[in-house]
Structure formats: structure tokens, C-alpha cells
């Protein structure tokens, strides 16, 4: 048999051919199923069937004989391997491993890719399964489905078998299974929105409560340095214990409002993947430990280095409860802002049942990456929206370094200067500076602004991952419906010529336009009495570069296009019929009718074209309407025709093909026709990417700068007052204000 197992297309046909070409007499009692059973055995064991005696009528006996031969061969090969001593070899003999390899090369078929390395990936043909599983149970137990001989009969169970699968490979497969990456379960935007809505509402309530607790703590921190009025029983100088208790209690209450942030921070630290939440959690922990250390070491700091005496030893150390609580509150706000932006996107994406999707495709046209729009489902939109953003990935890299640096620098400030009691104070100050107020806002704030604007445009982008894609494209494929959505193309009138009736002209014109995919079909079908079910069959359909289409309808050759197209096809038209933006119909080279078409410019489409032009996104006209051209758009919308690309007819048809497969998950979902949501999503995603990068840069600079300044002031300061909490709060608020102002520009385009 020439074909190897796995190379055949139809097992049944192959075996019928084999039976028909067998030259030797075959026992009449041998059935087709028995031969298939042998072929099944041959495929599973990866060996050619050894030659046997003349066929017998008992299929069971034949297969038993083959099994016994295989057992004998396995025992002989194993015994030879055991007799061989490492490093010795008798003359004329091969080592067991070499013998086994040589035997395998002689008797085994050629490897079949992955199938030759262990088991078939595809099931056997139904005929083979029926033949195999129809045999007695002894044979089904003798051969494992994976092709490994498990042994039966006289073969000892303890005797090693060449064909037995090693335990090591089983453990290796188990490890691969446990380590394999499990993709998150995809949900629809409707389900994601329904799940997020109550959680976002709860986050908003908790953020309001946290703000209510954070403002008094902020006032207490600023009151004493700036001389603001405050009850004497809370002042740090008069009642230090009360002051520490109140500030620590307010911080703990704010932490309870952000329980999910604190819990996730310590959980990520436990799993050795710290991030922004971990920095916030460690800042809170260090702040509480600092309060305890102030109480524990109060008597040791009553006398300063210059010998001066303080009224109370507590004055030398101030708690950083306001800084840590501020990090929790603004972290909670960042979490709420991000989830609320996602909720807006999911709500918009689920507004209609069949939305359009926007994707970035590499080498889409002219070896350039560009955006395309086509109808499609929202599969993958939720998963892509919830991918980690750039800020999260950056902080996952910086967080371990910042945590280690805060501990090392605090050690230098305290133990390095012989002042061990200052460790928790220094660690609290340095770790608080490593968790700035804007740590969770670099992407959340601009995403919220862009998502809110796109919601009004009935578009939604898939978060940071989509924003990165929108920053890489250079052009956008624009179709007929994008330029003239809805009723922007209307039919002004119809004139028929000769013996042709109104119904026939409209019918054949509608049939050609429907096949061509031109936007004119919508205008014609809206006023035509011919329903879509009455469209005629079109054969030999083709597009012409000159601006028209043609095909065979009921045996007549029909051409449809502009006046210039019919003139190029050799059809003469009266001078009075030279009308722009008209559709001419010719049957068998005779003019049959003319449709007057009116194109109404849409102000939103005009704004979208100028929006793409301002942001250097080229509009590639993949239109099927032969009347639409760069010159026409320049006249209607005032757009520079040199900024538009008008590909050849072959490229236009390929780019606008509704059946063209698009790889990748959607970057945006559009629930409205027209170029406006399309252009808004592209430019909005690009702006989100740019503003987020600027915010992240500002955030990293503020973090590293705060870390360095905190260490410097703590190490070189003559007094612990040199690193006052209110100064650190002011420092963080200024950087937060900068991030907020920059984020406001994300939706200004």
C-alpha cells in the first residue's frame, strides 16, 4: 500500500480500491471491516503489518497472532538491551539502542509530523472506528487509543515494554496542562455593562464617603503649619495622642472605603507581581507603623542634636496619614474613572444588535497599515478593553524597584546614621512619595474623556489596546455609506427611451446596482415599486475602470454608468442628455433610461473629512459608486483632493468587499452610519494614546522626583520638620493638577 496512515482522504474508497486490486485469492469470509480493523491496528502502532500466512477466516485469530509477534519482538529487544553492559559490545552485535533505532528505521513508516510523535490529532474515519470497536474487548484493551501497547496475555506486567508510555512523559504533559495560559472568558458588551453598572455605582458611593473622610484629615494636616483654626484637643502640640489617634483613624476609614485597592495591592505582592495598588497599600502600612513608632520612641527624641529641649517629644515626628489616605482616595477615583469609561463603551457597543467594527490591518493597501470598517460582531471587544494598559505595565516594572528602594533608603536614613528609631518615619515618608495621587489616573482620565465624547457619536473604542492600534495606522478605508449615509443620495427623476417600460428599466438598473454594491441602490430602491424580491438574475457581471458596471440580464447585455462611460463603450448620447451625477442605462448598446441622482452633502461628514485631514489620516476612497470621485468630494465638501486616495477599480473592490476576512479583535465599535463615528474613533483613539503617554511620563517623573527629594530631605535635614506631610501633599497635588489639565485635552480635537 503506497499511502501512509494519515495521508489518505477517504478510507472506505481506499480499501475498496485495495480489495479490487488484490492479485491473490482472498478468503470469502474476510470482510471489509476486518481489513479496516487491521489498518486501524497498523495506524495505531505506527508499524507495518508483519507478513503472515495465508488469510484465515477467523479475524480474531489473525489479530491475536500479530499481537503475539509484537510482544515477542518487544521482549527480545529489551533482553538485548539488558544484556549489553555500558561501554562493551560483542563483535557482530549492535547495542540495544542502536538495534532498536535500526529496527524502527526498517519497519516503521516515515514520520507524519506531530502524528508520528505521539497519537493522532484527528479522529479515525467512522468506518475504522466501527471496525475497531466492533472487535472483542480483549483487542480493545490490547491497544490504547494513543497508539501505545499496554500489554495483555502472557507478557509480564513488570516487564518493561518498548511501547509503554513512560511516566515521565505523562508528568510532562500534566505540567504543560497546568502551565498553559487560559484565556479569559469572553462576554458580550451587554453582559459586561450589566455587571459593571452596580459596581460602578458602589464605587462612586465609596469615593464620596472617602472624600468626606479625607477632607477633614487634609484640614488637620494643614491647620497647624498655616495657623488655621482648630480645636485645641486635636492639635499635635497640645494633645499628640489625640492627634495621632484621629489622623490614624481617618486614614483607616479611608482605607476601608478602598478595600478592593488595598486587598488587591497585598494580593499582588503575595503573588510577586506588585503594581500601583501595592505601592498604595505599602504606603498605608508604613504610615500606620510610623504612628506606632512615634508612640514607641517618643521619649528618645525629646532632646535634639543641638541640645535644645522640645515641649513634647512627639513634635519631632509627624504622621503621613493624609498623604497615604490621599493616595487611597485618588486611587479609588482612578479605579472608578476607568470602570465608568468601560461601562460607557460597553453601553454604546450594545446599543444595536449588528454594529460595525473598526480594525487596524497590516499591509492593507500599498504595503501600509490602515483602518477598515465593516459589519461584524463584538466578539473580543470586552476582552481587549480590559487588557492591562501602558501605565499598569510600566508600574508593574517599577513597583518592585520602588519598594526595594524605599526600604534601602529608609535604612540609610535611620540605621545608616545611627538613628534606628527613625526607620518607620523615613520609610513612611519615602514610600508615600512612591505612591503619588495620580498613580492610577494616567490612562483612566483621558479614556474617560474620550469615551464620553464617543458615546455622543455612538462609537466606542476598546481601551488602551485599541488606542495603541489607532496610533499606528496611516489611512482609513472610506466607502459609499460613509460619505453619503442615510438619505443623502436621492433620486430626482427617471426618463425612459424607446420601447422600454418604466418597470423594466428600474428593475434591470436595480438588479445591477444591487450586485455592484453601489450606494445608489438604496436611493433607487426607496422610490422603486419593484421589491427586492423581484430583482432579476445577473450573469457575467463585471466592473469597468471607466466608471460603470455591466452584466447579462434575461439574455440582454446591460450597461450602467455615467455618460462618459457609455461614450467610451461606443454608445452615442444626445447632447441634451450630458448630465452630471446621472446614471445611464443601456440595453444591447441602445440607451434605455436615465436616472437623475442628487448627492446631499452632510455637515457631519464634511467635519469628519477635515478631522482626518488635520490629523494626517488619509482617506482611501474604496467606493463602488462610479459618480464619487476626489473632484466631486472637493466640490461638495471643500476637501483637498490631493489628500484623498482613489485606488484602481481592483483595489477599490477588494477593500470594499463585504466578505473580506478581517483578522484581529475590533478596535472600535460603531452603532451609527456615516463617516463621523468612524473618524471620531480613529482620532479619539490616537489622542488617547498620545495623552496617556504624556501623563505616564509626568507620573514617573513625579514619582522618582518625590522619592529622591524625600530621601534627600530625610537624610540631610537638620530636623524631622524638613519633610513635613503638608509639603508632600502640596507636591503631589501640583503634579495631580498637571495630569488633570493634560487629560482635559484628550477630547479636544
Amino acid at each position: 500500500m503506497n499511502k501512509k496512515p494519515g495521508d489518505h482522504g477517504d478510507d472506505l474508497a481506499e480499501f475498496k480500491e485495495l480489495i479490487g486490486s488484490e492479485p491473490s485469492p482472498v478468503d470469502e469470509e474476510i470482510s471489509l471491516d476486518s481489513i479496516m480493523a487491521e489498518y486501524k491496528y497498523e495506524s495505531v502502532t505506527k508499524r507495518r503489518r508483519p507478513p503472515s500466512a495465508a488469510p484465515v477466516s477467523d479475524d480474531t485469530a489473525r489479530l491475536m497472532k500479530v499481537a503475539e509477534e509484537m510482544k515477542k519482538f518487544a521482549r527480545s529487544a529489551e533482553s538485548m538491551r539488558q544484556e549489553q553492559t555500558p561501554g562493551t559490545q560483542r563483535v557482530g552485535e549492535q547495542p540495544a539502542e542502536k538495534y532498536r533505532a535500526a529496527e524502527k528505521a526498517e519497519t516503521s513508516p516515515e514520520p507524519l509530523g506531530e502524528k508520528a510523535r505521539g497519537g493522532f490529532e484527528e479522529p479515525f474515519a467512522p468506518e475504522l472506528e466501527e471496525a475497531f470497536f466492533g472487535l472483542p474487548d480483549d483487542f480493545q484493551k490490547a491497544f490504547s487509543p494513543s497508539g501505545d501497547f499496554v500489554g495483555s496475555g502472557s507478557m509480564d506486567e513488570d516487564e518493561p515494554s518498548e511501547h509503554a508510555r513512560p511516566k515521565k512523559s505523562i508528568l510532562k504533559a500534566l505540567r504543560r496542562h497546568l502551565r498553559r495560559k487560559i484565556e479569559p472568558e469572553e462576554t458580550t458588551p451587554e453582559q459586561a455593562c450589566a455587571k459593571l453598572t452596580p459596581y460602578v455605582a458602589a464605587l462612586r458611593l465609596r469615593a464620596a464617603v472617602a472624600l468626606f473622610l479625607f477632607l477633614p484629615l487634609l484640614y488637620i494636616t494643614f491647620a497647624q503649619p498655616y495657623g488655621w483654626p482648630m480645636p485645641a484637643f486635636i492639635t499635635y502640640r497640645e494633645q499628640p495622642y489625640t492627634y495621632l489617634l484621629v489622623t490614624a483613624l481617618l486614614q483607616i476609614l479611608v482605607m476601608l472605603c478602598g478595600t478592593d485597592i488595598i486587598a488587591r495591592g497585598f494580593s499582588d505582592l503575595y503573588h510577586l507581581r506588585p503594581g500601583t495598588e501595592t505601592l498604595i497599600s505599602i504606603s498605608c502600612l508604613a504610615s500606620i507603623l510610623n504612628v506606632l513608632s512615634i508612640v514607641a520612641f517618643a521619649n528618645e527624641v525629646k532632646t535634639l542634636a543641638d541640645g535644645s529641649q522640645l515641649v513634647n517629644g512627639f513634635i519631632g515626628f509627624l504622621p503621613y496619614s493624609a498623604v497615604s489616605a490621599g493616595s487611597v482616595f485618588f486611587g479609588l477615583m482612578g479605579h472608578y474613572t476607568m470602570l465608568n469609561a468601560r461601562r460607557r463603551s460597553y453601553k454604546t457597543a450594545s446599543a444595536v444588535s449588528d454594529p460595525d467594527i473598526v480594525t487596524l490591518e497590516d499591509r492593507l493597501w500599498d504595503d501600509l497599515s490602515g483602518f477598515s470598517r465593516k459589519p461584524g460582531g463584538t466578539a473580543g471587544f470586552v476582552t481587549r478593553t480590559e487588557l492591562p494598559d501602558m501605565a499598569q505595565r510600566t508600574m508593574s516594572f517599577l513597583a518592585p524597584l520602588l519598594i526595594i528602594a524605599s526600604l534601602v533608603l529608609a535604612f540609610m536614613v535611620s540605621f545608616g546614621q545611627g538613628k534606628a528609631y527613625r526607620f518607620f518615619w523615613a520609610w513612611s515618608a519615602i514610600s508615600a512619595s512612591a505612591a503619588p495621587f495620580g498613580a492610577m489616573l494616567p490612562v483612566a482620565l483621558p479614556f474617560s474623556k474620550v469615551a464620553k465624547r464617543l458615546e455622543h457619536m455612538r462609537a466606542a473604542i476598546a481601551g488602551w489596546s485599541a488606542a495603541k492600534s489607532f496610533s499606528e495606522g496611516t489611512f482609513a478605508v472610506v466607502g459609499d455609506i460613509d460619505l453619503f449615509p442615510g438619505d443623502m443620495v436621492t433620486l430626482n427623476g427617471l426618463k425612459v427611451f424607446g420601447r422600454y417600460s418604466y418597470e423594466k428599466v428600474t428593475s434591470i438598473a436595480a438588479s445591477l446596482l444591487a450586485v455592484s454594491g453601489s450606494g445608489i441602490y438604496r436611493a433607487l430602491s426607496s422610490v422603486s415599486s419593484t421589491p427586492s424580491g423581484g430583482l432579476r438574475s445577473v450573469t457575467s457581471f463585471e466592473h469597468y475602470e471607466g466608471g460603470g458596471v455591466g452584466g447579462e440580464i434575461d439574455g440582454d447585455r446591460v450597461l450602467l454608468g455615467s455618460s462618459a462611460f457609455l461614450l467610451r463603450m461606443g454608445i452615442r448620447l444626445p447632447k441634451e442628455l450630458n448630465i452630471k451625477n446621472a446614471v445611464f442605462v443601456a440595453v444591447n448598446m441602445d440607451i434605455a433610461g436615465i436616472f437623475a441622482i442628487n448627492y446631499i452633502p452632510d455637515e457631519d461628514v464634511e467635519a469628519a473629512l477635515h478631522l482626518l485631514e488635520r490629523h494626517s489620516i488619509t482617506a482611501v476612497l474604496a467606493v463602488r459608486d462610479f459618480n464619487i470621485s476626489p473632484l466631486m468630494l472637493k466640490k461638495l465638501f471643500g476637501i483637498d483632493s490631493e489628500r484623498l486616495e482613489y485606488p484602481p477599480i481592483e483595489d477599490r473592490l477588494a477593500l470594499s468587499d463585504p466578505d473580506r476576512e478581517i483578522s484581529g479583535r475590533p478596535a472600535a465599535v460603531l452603532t451609527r452610519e456615516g463617516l463621523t463615528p468612524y473618524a471620531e474613533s480613529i482620532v479619539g483613539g490616537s489622542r488617547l494614546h498620545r495623552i496617556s503617554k504624556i501623563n505616564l511620563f509626568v507620573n514617573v517623573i513625579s514619582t522618582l522626583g518625590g522619592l529622591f527629594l524625600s530621601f534627600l530631605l530625610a537624610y540631610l535635614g537638620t530636623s524631622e520638620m524638613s519633610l513635613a506631610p503638608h509639603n508632600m501633599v502640596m507636591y503631589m497635588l501640583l503634579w495631580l493638577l498637571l495630569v488633570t489639565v493634560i487629560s482635559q485635552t484628550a477630547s479636544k480635537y
Side-chain angles (χ1 to χ4, degrees), residues 115 133 174 324 332 338 400 418 505 531 580 614 664 681 706:
K115 297 181 180 181
F133 292 104
L174 180 60
S324 300
L332 193 62
M338 174 62 74
V505 173
K580 295 182 179 180
R614 288 196 306 270
S681 62

Side-chain angles (χ1 to χ4, degrees), residues 146-157:
S146 60
D148 296 323
F149 186 82
V150 297
S152 61
S154 61
M155 188 172 183
D156 297 333
E157 295 181 0

Side-chain angles (χ1 to χ4, degrees), residues 486-505:
D487 298 330
M488 294 298 102
V489 180
T490 60
L491 181 65
N492 279 349
L494 166 64
K495 181 177 179 59
V496 297
F497 299 91
R499 54 186 176 83
Y500 301 102
S501 64
Y502 174 87
E503 289 75 12
K504 181 174 183 180
V505 173

Side-chain angles (χ1 to χ4, degrees), residues 196-259:
L196 276 181
T197 299
Y199 184 61
V200 169
L203 275 178
R204 181 170 53 193
L205 178 61
R206 285 192 282 141
V209 175
L211 178 62
F212 178 78
L213 297 170
F214 174 63
L215 289 179
L217 180 58
L218 202 62
Y219 184 87
I220 294 174
T221 304
F222 278 84
Q224 185 168 325
Y226 289 95
W228 296 349
M230 192 171 65
F233 69 90
I234 306 180
T235 57
Y236 191 39
R237 185 179 297 271
E238 300 296 335
Q239 296 291 335
Y241 284 105
T242 305
Y243 183 92
L244 292 174
L245 178 62
V246 171
T247 54
L249 181 61
L250 289 175
Q251 177 193 339
I252 293 175
L253 292 177
V254 173
M255 292 173 59
L256 291 176
C257 293
T259 305

Side-chain angles (χ1 to χ4, degrees), residues 156-176:
D156 297 333
E157 295 181 0
D158 297 334
E159 185 178 354
S161 172
E162 175 190 346
H163 308 281
R165 184 181 295 276
K167 294 182 179 179
K168 186 176 180 180
S169 63
I170 298 176
L171 295 177
K172 184 177 180 181
L174 180 60
R175 285 196 300 269
R176 285 200 307 267

Side-chain angles (χ1 to χ4, degrees), residues 8 62 95 149 170 187 195 212 294 315 356 387 420 435 462 509 597 609 615 654 684 686 697:
H8 55 84
R62 292 176 59 196
F149 186 82
I170 298 176
T187 60
K195 183 179 180 180
F212 178 78
I294 292 175
I315 299 177
D356 291 346
L387 289 176
I597 305 297
L609 285 173
H615 290 82
S686 178
F697 177 77

Side-chain angles (χ1 to χ4, degrees), residues 650-664:
E650 295 82 4
D651 294 344
R652 298 203 304 269
L653 294 177
L655 292 174
S656 60
D657 185 5
D659 297 327
R660 180 174 60 87
E661 295 185 359
I662 297 180
S663 59

